[in-house]
Every structure is written in structure tokens, then in C-alpha cells.
Amino acid sequence: GAHARVGAVGCDAWAGQPARDYAAGLAINVFAPRDPAELARVLAPDGALVVVMPNREHLAELVSAVGMLTVQERKRERLAGKLGGLFDPVRETLVERELVLDHPAVAALVAMGPSARHLGERGVEGKIGAVADPLTVSLSVTVASYRRTAA
């Protein structure tokens, strides 16, 4: 079993959550795949799900300069469709900021996402070397909260 004071768990979204039924008060999903049925299984009846999704404008300056993958069209609508029947929307909050990043920060940011695998290490290094240092980029995400649908 888990430690009595466990505060967070990271796991493979498709391999099953390492928690008993209705054991979690909160599930947070940031830029990651999600299994709605599994999230509903582990969340307590009054539990909440928070999903952070990138918007089309997110890191737009890096997307164009480095060739990062773009945000898929209609991402929010597809999420709502997948959660429908299991979760009810509570609130959406748009979060936008400008970030000023030096080359090491840009490299770390690119390395965190799927673009690093698509571009390859040498491709990423060459493209980062060509951008301004520091580089101002846009952060644009939607933070959406949900409650389990009443049974």
C-alpha cells in the first residue's frame, strides 16, 4: 500500500492509476493524455479534476522558430466530449503571460515536450542557437476544472 501521507502520484495514464476506487480528492492533468474512466474511478464522489491545456498561441514564437509541434485544432471541444457523462465542467480560466527565456531555458522547455523527439537533439540545438537570447515567448493555457458527474 501507499504511504499514509502520500501527496501526489505520477503514473502512466493508460496503465491504470495506482489508487483505490474513490481514493483521490483531486486529480491534476497538465499537457498529458488522460483516461476519463480511470480518473472517475479514483476520484472521490466530491473530487475535482483540473486539466491544463495549451492554447494555439502557447509558445507560438518557439513553434515557428524551432519547429515545435502545434496544438491540435478543437482540442478543448474534444476534451469536453471525452469527459462528457463522467465529469461536469465547473470553470475555465485563461492564463496568459510573456516569458523571457535564455537559451538554456529554451532548450529545457523544448526538451520537456514531444517536439524534442520529433526534431532530434542536434536539430533542436541548431535551431535554438539561431533564436534571440533572451527570447520572449507567449505562455497561453486554459485551466479547466471539473466535478464528477453525480451518479
Side-chain angles (χ1 to χ4, degrees):
H3 190 279
R5 295 185 312 198
V6 68
V9 175
C11 60
D12 180 342
W14 305 114
Q17 307 295 315
R20 291 188 298 269
D21 293 357
Y22 313 119
L26 174 67
I28 301 172
N29 178 272
V30 181
F31 292 15
R34 69 206 60 80
D35 180 343
E38 186 66 359
L39 289 168
R41 179 189 70 78
V42 302
L43 277 174
D46 62 345
L49 169 63
V50 175
V51 179
V52 182
M53 299 169 285
N55 298 316
R56 299 279 303 161
E57 302 82 9
H58 185 62
L59 305 180
E61 300 82 1
L62 276 178
V63 168
S64 60
V66 178
M68 291 175 64
L69 299 176
T70 58
V71 174
Q72 297 172 346
E73 293 287 337
R74 301 177 50 88
K75 188 173 188 83
R76 288 166 62 192
E77 292 85 353
R78 284 197 324 279
L79 173 65
K82 289 178 182 178
L83 295 179
L86 295 171
F87 293 93
D88 295 320
V90 174
R91 178 182 308 148
E92 282 193 1
T93 303
L94 175 65
V95 178
E96 292 185 313
R97 305 278 188 279
E98 282 193 343
L99 306 174
V100 179
L101 307 174
D102 61 12
H103 279 185
V106 169
L109 185 61
V110 173
M112 286 190 293
S115 295
R117 290 186 294 283
H118 292 278
L119 295 169
E121 190 173 329
R122 299 188 115 187
V124 169
E125 288 174 1
K127 292 187 180 222
I128 290 172
V131 301
D133 188 5
L135 177 68
T136 300
V137 299
S138 302
L139 176 142
S140 178
V141 300
T142 297
V143 179
S145 60
Y146 300 86
R147 289 273 178 212
R148 289 190 57 218
T149 299

